[in-house]
Amino acid sequence: MKLRKVTAASAVLLSLSVAATACGGDKKDDNSSSGGGKKITIGIKFDQPGIGQKTPQGYAGFDVDVATYVAKKLGYGADQIEWKESKSADRETMLQRGDVQFIAASYSITPERQQKVDFAGPYLLAHQDVLIRADDNKIKSPSDLNSKKLCSVTGSTSAQNVHDKLAPKARLQEYPTYSACLTGLQNEAIDALTTDDSILAGYAAQSQFKGKFKLGGFKMTNENYGIGVKKGSDLKAKINKALESMVSDGSWEAAVKKNFGPANYKNEPAPKIGDIKS
């Protein structure tokens, strides 16, 4: 009788142990950051044409193509990617909390950000510029932005860079998204939108805005786009290898032409890993 009780108890314990192990295994697969799991969560922008945009047909843009390529090298198919919107002000927090495995969202590498997260790359060298109305002939140089309403998004360094270094009297306006800045520019609530030339070119090239806006043509800063990962993550080295492969097999150049070609964007050559232009 005692033997039957012990056997029954052992069977219960064994069953619980197996169940716990199975649950633990499923959780590890779902949150794996090194490939081969059920899914991977990647942060991108949802409102940047040519870079990262959510459309009725899905997700499109250069960052989306780069992230998809990297995910494939990490062992994930396109159908295993969960895209999550990463606004400029939220990126470091999202990585620190583990909301995403990595972020490819026009994410410029800066010393301040490197204190909080790690970066793979860079994978694109852009330059800060301004977008103005096509009929505006008063803004011909960065100094002409003095006393003008200059828009950028909350958490971005673009407008502050112009104010601190080039146009100290510029009137800074912070909007939650670039799309909101664009609406303000169109409605003449602001005079100029500043961010990276790659992003601005994407907006200017949209069919509904064709002929309404133009780039200033100012190369005011170097913006080294990197892929953000959690501090200390082993993903950094793996992503760097994937980026090198993307350049060497021609996929990087194809993605540039696909996403920026229609805007006649004059892109820089693919940067070498770790080569951050100041």
Side-chain angles (χ1 to χ4, degrees):
M1 186 69 178
K2 287 183 180 180
L3 180 59
R4 284 198 297 272
K5 287 183 178 180
V6 171
T7 302
S10 299
V12 171
L13 288 173
L14 179 59
S15 176
L16 290 173
S17 176
V18 170
T21 301
C23 291
D26 288 346
K27 186 174 182 181
K28 183 178 180 181
D29 285 346
D30 286 342
N31 295 281
S32 172
S33 62
S34 58
K38 291 184 177 179
K39 67 178 182 178
I40 185 169
T41 306
I42 303 172
I44 57 170
K45 290 293 180 66
F46 279 14
D47 68 331
Q48 290 181 353
I51 298 290
Q53 185 180 27
K54 184 178 181 180
T55 73
Q57 293 74 38
Y59 300 90
F62 182 70
D63 282 350
V64 175
D65 289 343
V66 170
T68 301
Y69 185 98
V70 168
K72 183 178 180 181
K73 289 294 184 180
L74 293 176
Y76 297 92
D79 60 341
Q80 294 175 296
I81 298 174
E82 179 183 338
W83 301 108
K84 184 166 287 191
E85 183 174 20
S86 299
K87 295 181 179 180
S88 295
D90 300 332
R91 290 177 296 203
E92 286 82 33
T93 302
M94 291 178 70
L95 288 169
Q96 291 168 340
R97 284 194 312 227
D99 296 341
V100 293
Q101 271 70 62
F102 66 82
I103 291 178
S106 55
Y107 203 178
S108 297
I109 302 171
T110 68
E112 294 77 17
R113 289 168 178 165
Q114 286 177 306
Q115 293 178 7
K116 300 176 181 179
V117 300
D118 285 340
F119 286 96
Y123 63 91
L124 182 72
L125 176 60
H127 303 284
Q128 187 178 345
D129 202 351
V130 296
L131 191 68
I132 56 180
R133 289 180 290 276
D135 60 356
D136 189 337
N137 298 314
K138 296 180 179 179
I139 300 176
K140 298 179 180 180
S141 70
S143 62
D144 293 331
L145 295 168
N146 281 307
S147 301
K148 301 293 185 181
K149 293 180 181 178
L150 181 65
C151 185
S152 194
V153 301
T154 305
S156 172
T157 59
S158 300
Q160 195 65 49
N161 284 341
V162 175
H163 181 272
D164 292 347
K165 301 174 183 178
L166 301 168
K169 294 183 180 179
R171 298 158 62 188
L172 305 185
Q173 307 287 315
E174 284 194 340
Y175 284 31
T177 65
Y178 291 110
S179 296
C181 281
L182 194 69
T183 299
L185 180 61
Q186 188 172 14
N187 296 336
E188 300 188 15
I190 60 171
D191 300 300
L193 160 59
T194 184
T195 187
D196 307 343
D197 52 9
S198 56
I199 298 171
L200 297 176
Y203 282 119
Q206 287 186 289
S207 58
Q208 66 268 37
F209 298 131
K210 192 172 182 180
K212 294 182 179 181
F213 305 112
K214 62 183 179 182
L215 288 165
F218 318 142
K219 290 187 176 183
M220 295 184 284
T221 63
N222 290 326
E223 302 297 332
N224 304 272
Y225 285 8
I227 293 181
V229 298
K230 191 172 184 178
K231 200 76 174 174
S233 173
D234 62 355
L235 273 183
K236 177 180 177 179
K238 296 176 182 179
I239 293 174
N240 278 335
K241 289 183 179 179
L243 293 174
E244 289 176 335
S245 177
M246 187 175 188
V247 173
S248 64
D249 69 12
S251 298
W252 185 91
E253 187 65 31
V256 168
K257 291 180 179 179
K258 170 188 170 185
N259 294 289
F260 301 133
N264 296 316
Y265 174 62
K266 308 298 182 184
N267 67 283
E268 300 279 2
K272 293 182 179 181
I273 298 301
D275 184 12
I276 301 172
K277 303 293 186 184
S278 59

